[in-house]
Amino acid sequence: MISNSQFRSGRSLLLALILLIGCNAQEQQEQQKEVFKLCVPHQIITACRDLMAKPDAAVQVQCIPGRDRMECLEKVNARQADFVAVDPEDMYVAYHMANQDFSVFTEFRTVEEPKAEFRYEGIILVRKSDNFKSLADLRGKKSCHTGYGRNVGYKIPITKLKKVGLFKLASDPELAPLEKELKGLSELFGSSCLVGKYSPNDEVNRLLKKRYSNLCALCERPDVCDYPDKYSGYDGAIRCLVENNGDVAFTKVIYVNKYFGLPVGEAPAQPALNPNARTEDYVYLCEDGTTRPITGPACSWAQRPWQGYMGNGDINSRFQRLQKRLQQFYETAKNSAAADQASQMWVDSKNVLFDREVPVLPGEHLNRAQYKDVIERDGPFQYKIKLCVTSELEQEKCEVMRKAAYSRDVRPEIECILKGKNACVPAVQHGEADVVVLKGEDQTFENVEGLKPILFEKYDEDDVMVAIADQGVTRDQLLKAPLEFDVSDQRAISAALFLNDKRQRKTCPNKLSSIPAAPIRIISAQELTRLGSGKVLVCPSLEFEPIANYASCNVDYTLPAGIFIRKTVSGQIEDNISHAFVSLSDKFGHGSKTEVVFDMFGEFKPGMKNVLFHDRAARFEQASNKVADVEVGNYKRLMCL
C-alpha cells in the first residue's frame, strides 16, 4: 500500500516531468520558428513592432531600427537585417552598393493593376489627325504637362527628348542652368501648360513665368500657372490636349484609359471621364516616330517600378516563406484599427502585395523600366558642388547624403571633400572647395574673411530655448540661482550665457557649470508640455510670464549653422548651390515625407551629436540668420571669443 508521502512525492515527480516535457516542446517549437529581420527607419519602429507581432506564426518578422532607409540598406547588405521596404530610388542606391547581392522579391501593386509590370508608364499622347511621322514633328507644338519637375510630365520628356537631340539647353552663358532648361522648353514648344514653382524664390518664380509666358499660356489661369489648375496633373494634361486645343500630352497610360473609358488592368471598362472624346482620334507617339492606337498596348518612354520589399542574397533560397507571412501581415493590417501605423508601414486598402516568382536585381529592374536614365538625369547642371567636411564622421554623413540626394534628383550633385579641422575655410577661400557648413560658434572667427552665408538652418517655431522656474521664486533667488542645462547642446550653453549676462553674472563657456536640480532650468519650448504645473518662464527682462508665452519670452540667443561660399562666386553658381541645399532640406528636412529616407537633421550615429548640421534643425532658409535678436558682436562677447 502506497503511503500519502509516497503518493505526494510521485505526483511531484510526474508534474516535474510534464513541465520538463512541455518546456522542451515549447523550446523545440521556438527553434522551429523561422525569423526574418525587417529594417525600418527609427520613426516607425513602434508601428512595425505592433503590426508585425504574431507570436503563433511559424515565420516571425523581427523589426530592426535603422537611422533611416539609407542605413537600413547598409544593414541589409551587412546581414544585420534581411530585408527592407524600398522606393525605386532606393533600388538605385542598392544597385551602386552591391547590385548582385540585393533582389526585389515582393512589390506593392494596386488593386486596379495587380499584374502590371510597372507602377506607371510614361507616354506621349497626340491627335491622330496631326499625322506625326517623327519626334521632330513635336517642334512648335502645343504641349501639356503634368507639372514642373514631375517625373512623367517633365523629367522623362526632357531626358528622352534630349537624348534624341530634339531638346537642347539654351546656350546663353548669362543664364542660370535652371533657366536654360526652361528657355529650351520655351523654344521647343509653341505654347504649353507647365504649372508649378519654377524657383523657391517667389520673385524669381514670378519673373521666370513672365519671361517664358508661353509655358503657361495653355493653363486655366496663365497668370498664376500653379496648382490647382484644370489642365495640370495626369488627367489634366489629357484635358489640356483634348479640351483645350493642345497638340501633345505627357501623362500615364492608366489615366488615358480612365479618360476614354477603356479597361484598366483586368477590371471592366468604366464610363469615360469625357464621353465626347473618341478613342479613334488619339494615338500614342513612340520613340521611333511611329504611333499606336490607344486601345492597344502603349509604347512608353519610361516606366516607374513599383515600391517593394528588397532583401539580401542570404534569403534568396527561402523568400517564399517570408512572402506568405508578409501577405498575412498586409491583409491583417488593412483592417487594423491603427490606421496611422498601417500607413507608416505602406499599407493601403487600394494596394495588394504581389509576390515575384523569381526575385529581380535592382539594376536589371531599373534598366528594364528605363528608369535608371531618369534618375541619372543631370538636367542643366554640368558640375558638382564640392562640400568641405572636417572629419571622417562628417565625410561619412556627407557620402550618405550625396547618394540619397542624387537618387532623388537633387542637383547639382554633391562631392564630399575631406580637409583638416581648420582647413575647410581656407579651402573655400582658395577655390579648392565650394561650400563649408559653419556652426554659430565658428562664424565669428576672423578667418571667415572672404566668405558669405547664403542659407541658414531654421528651427521649428516651438523650438526656442527658454528658462523655467517654480512659481513663487523671488527676484533675489532668480539673480543668484544656479542653472541646469544640457552641456552637450550648444544652443543651451548660449542661452545660459545670455541669461547670465542679463543677471549681471558674466561667465565664459569654460567656466559655465550645470547644476542638477537647479532652481532655473534651460530647456527647449518643445519640452514645456511635459512639465508639471506650477512653472513660469523667466524672460530676458528678468520678469516672469506664463509658459504659454514662450514665443516672446525666451532666452534663445543662437547663431544657427550657415552655408558659406566665397564672396567672389558668380550669381548663377550661388543660385545653384542655394537651390541644391534648399532641395536637400525640402526632401530630407524635419517633417518631410522622405525624412525617413535620409534623416538629414537627426543624430547620425548614437552619441554623435550635430554631425555636419544641428540635430534639431528643421530646414534651410534664405531668410535672416537670427533665431532671436542675435547680434554677431554681442554673441562673440558672450562666448568670450
Side-chain angles (χ1 to χ4, degrees):
M1 187 172 179
I2 300 175
S3 66
N4 287 337
S5 61
Q6 288 175 320
F7 176 77
R8 285 194 297 270
S9 177
R11 188 174 64 175
S12 298
L13 286 172
L14 180 62
L15 287 172
L17 182 61
I18 291 172
L19 286 172
L20 181 61
I21 293 172
C23 288
N24 287 339
Q26 184 177 357
E27 184 178 346
Q28 189 175 11
Q29 187 180 11
E30 291 293 333
Q31 289 175 350
Q32 289 175 348
K33 288 181 179 179
E34 192 169 13
V35 178
F36 291 88
K37 296 179 180 179
L38 167 62
C39 186
V40 296
H42 71 90
Q43 296 97 326
I44 63 173
I45 187 65
T46 300
C48 183
R49 287 172 176 165
D50 287 350
L51 293 175
M52 283 292 184
K54 191 172 174 58
D56 59 336
V59 173
Q60 296 285 310
V61 175
Q62 180 183 352
C63 299
I64 304 297
R67 178 195 62 243
D68 46 37
R69 211 178 296 156
M70 291 295 101
E71 187 180 46
C72 278
L73 290 174
E74 294 172 4
K75 288 193 172 189
V76 171
N77 191 37
R79 280 24 181 200
Q80 296 170 8
D82 297 310
F83 69 111
V84 58
V86 293
D87 290 317
E89 290 76 13
D90 305 317
M91 298 176 197
Y92 180 82
V93 175
Y95 157 69
H96 282 281
M97 287 174 62
N99 181 58
Q100 299 299 319
D101 204 26
F102 283 101
S103 58
V104 180
F105 58 87
T106 292
E107 294 170 327
F108 299 87
R109 297 189 179 183
T110 60
V111 174
E112 282 185 317
E113 298 184 291
K115 293 187 178 180
E117 185 178 4
F118 299 108
R119 180 181 171 189
Y120 60 69
E121 298 178 276
I123 52 87
I124 295 181
L125 185 67
V126 297
R127 197 175 290 102
K128 184 178 181 180
S129 60
D130 285 344
N131 292 316
F132 279 84
K133 301 299 182 185
S134 71
L135 293 182
D137 293 338
L138 287 170
R139 185 172 298 281
K141 293 295 191 290
K142 291 173 285 188
S143 62
C144 304
H145 306 258
T146 55
Y148 175 73
R150 293 175 62 169
N151 274 336
V152 168
Y154 190 83
K155 295 177 188 175
I156 291 176
I158 285 181
T159 300
K160 298 298 182 178
L161 295 177
K162 184 179 180 182
K163 193 172 182 179
V164 299
L166 187 60
F167 170 81
K168 299 183 185 300
L169 288 174
S171 58
D172 189 342
E174 298 299 317
L175 296 182
L178 286 175
E179 186 172 353
K180 289 181 180 180
E181 197 167 71
L182 289 170
K183 186 175 182 182
L185 276 177
S186 176
E187 292 174 346
L188 174 60
F189 296 115
S191 58
S192 307
C193 179
L194 180 67
V195 304
K197 294 195 180 301
Y198 295 178
S199 168
N201 183 295
D202 290 339
E203 182 61 20
V204 174
N205 179 55
R206 186 187 66 80
L207 289 173
L208 289 174
K209 288 177 178 177
K210 182 178 180 181
R211 190 171 296 162
Y212 305 107
S213 58
N214 68 316
L215 294 179
C216 300
L218 288 184
C219 296
E220 180 185 15
R221 297 178 298 161
D223 56 323
V224 177
C225 197
D226 207 343
Y227 304 103
D229 193 284
K230 181 179 179 181
Y231 301 120
S232 70
Y234 301 118
D235 51 355
I238 303 171
R239 281 196 295 269
C240 172
L241 165 64
V242 179
E243 304 170 24
N244 199 36
N245 201 32
D247 296 321
V248 52
F250 300 97
T251 186
K252 294 181 182 180
V253 170
I254 188 173
Y255 284 88
V256 173
N257 292 342
K258 289 181 177 182
Y259 185 87
F260 290 95
L262 297 170
V264 174
E266 296 181 341
Q270 299 296 313
L273 295 180
N274 182 357
N276 298 319
R278 304 193 314 164
T279 56
E280 58 267 32
D281 291 339
Y282 297 90
V283 291
Y284 293 122
L285 178 61
C286 306
E287 287 189 71
D288 61 4
T290 61
T291 59
R292 289 186 187 179
I294 63 174
T295 52
C299 51
S300 58
W301 288 42
Q303 301 83 32
R304 179 176 171 83
W306 300 99
Q307 297 169 315
Y309 287 120
M310 184 169 67
N312 57 41
D314 287 1
I315 66 169
N316 279 347
S317 61
R318 57 194 183 106
F319 68 90
Q320 293 92 343
R321 296 189 289 279
L322 174 58
Q323 287 176 330
K324 185 176 180 180
R325 173 69 187 92
L326 292 174
Q327 289 285 357
Q328 294 171 344
F329 145 72
Y330 205 79
E331 292 308 311
T332 301
K334 279 185 180 182
N335 302 313
S336 170
D340 288 344
Q341 286 190 329
S343 177
Q344 290 174 11
M345 292 292 292
W346 293 11
V347 176
D348 190 325
S349 61
K350 297 178 182 178
N351 289 350
V352 294
L353 290 188
F354 177 85
D355 294 334
R356 299 185 69 95
E357 291 183 11
V358 179
V360 60
L361 302 181
E364 292 179 5
H365 200 36
L366 294 168
N367 275 320
R368 180 171 171 77
Q370 302 181 70
Y371 198 68
K372 181 171 169 287
D373 290 345
V374 177
I375 291 177
E376 292 177 345
R377 165 186 172 271
D378 287 330
F381 302 102
Q382 306 299 321
Y383 64 94
K384 297 179 181 180
I385 297 173
K386 295 180 179 179
L387 172 60
C388 191
V389 295
T390 61
S391 68
E392 291 184 358
L393 189 61
E394 284 190 352
Q395 185 180 36
E396 186 178 346
K397 180 172 183 177
C398 182
E399 286 294 336
V400 175
M401 180 174 72
R402 179 191 65 78
K403 291 188 289 188
Y406 187 80
S407 72
R408 281 169 167 77
D409 198 41
V410 174
R411 301 291 189 274
E413 185 181 357
I414 294 168
E415 181 179 353
C416 307
I417 307 294
L418 176 62
K419 297 286 185 179
K421 173 62 179 174
N422 299 314
C424 271
V425 167
V428 176
Q429 289 172 329
H430 301 143
E432 299 168 17
D434 302 310
V435 178
V436 60
V437 181
L438 294 179
K439 306 282 176 54
E441 58 271 25
D442 297 323
Q443 296 172 24
T444 57
F445 296 119
E446 298 303 325
N447 65 354
V448 297
E449 184 71 28
L451 303 187
K452 65 177 178 179
I454 58 172
L455 295 169
F456 286 93
E457 288 179 342
K458 183 76 174 177
Y459 302 98
D460 286 331
E461 290 184 3
D462 61 347
D463 186 12
V464 291
M465 304 306 296
V466 295
I468 59 168
D470 291 329
Q471 285 180 346
V473 65
T474 67
R475 186 173 180 83
D476 187 59
Q477 289 173 324
L478 170 62
L479 293 173
K480 299 177 180 178
L483 306 177
E484 180 185 1
F485 56 92
D486 182 355
V487 296
S488 67
D489 183 355
Q490 183 60 47
R491 292 181 67 198
I493 294 172
S494 299
L497 291 170
F498 178 64
L499 180 60
N500 272 350
D501 191 61
K502 294 298 182 182
R503 298 194 301 169
Q504 304 297 314
R505 294 168 63 92
K506 172 64 177 170
T507 314
C508 288
N510 62 340
K511 299 289 181 67
L512 188 65
S513 299
S514 172
I515 307 301
I520 302 174
R521 291 174 58 201
I522 305 290
I523 62 173
S524 167
Q526 291 178 329
E527 300 178 50
L528 290 174
T529 56
R530 294 192 284 271
L531 295 177
S533 58
K535 301 293 184 182
V536 293
L537 296 176
V538 179
C539 302
S541 63
L542 303 184
E543 300 294 326
F544 301 111
E545 288 196 19
I547 61 174
N549 296 351
Y550 63 82
S552 58
C553 175
N554 63 73
V555 291
D556 210 335
Y557 206 79
T558 306
L559 283 175
I563 304 296
F564 282 75
I565 64 173
R566 283 186 307 285
K567 285 183 178 179
T568 55
V569 164
S570 70
Q572 288 182 26
I573 301 297
E574 179 179 332
D575 288 345
N576 298 341
I577 295 172
S578 176
H579 172 82
F581 278 89
V582 169
S583 295
L584 274 170
S585 72
D586 284 348
K587 290 185 184 293
F588 307 122
H590 182 59
S592 66
K593 280 180 63 177
T594 45
E595 183 182 8
V596 293
V597 173
F598 171 62
D599 196 358
M600 183 173 178
F601 298 113
E603 189 175 82
F604 183 62
K605 287 193 173 181
M608 301 296 181
K609 295 182 178 294
N610 305 320
V611 179
L612 203 57
F613 313 113
H614 281 115
D615 293 345
R616 295 212 320 258
R619 58 195 171 276
F620 284 118
E621 286 190 358
Q622 292 175 312
S624 167
N625 66 325
K626 297 178 180 179
V627 174
D629 188 17
V630 181
E631 195 275 315
V632 174
N634 193 48
Y635 181 82
K636 181 176 180 179
R637 179 183 65 82
L638 289 178
M639 298 296 293
C640 301
L641 298 174

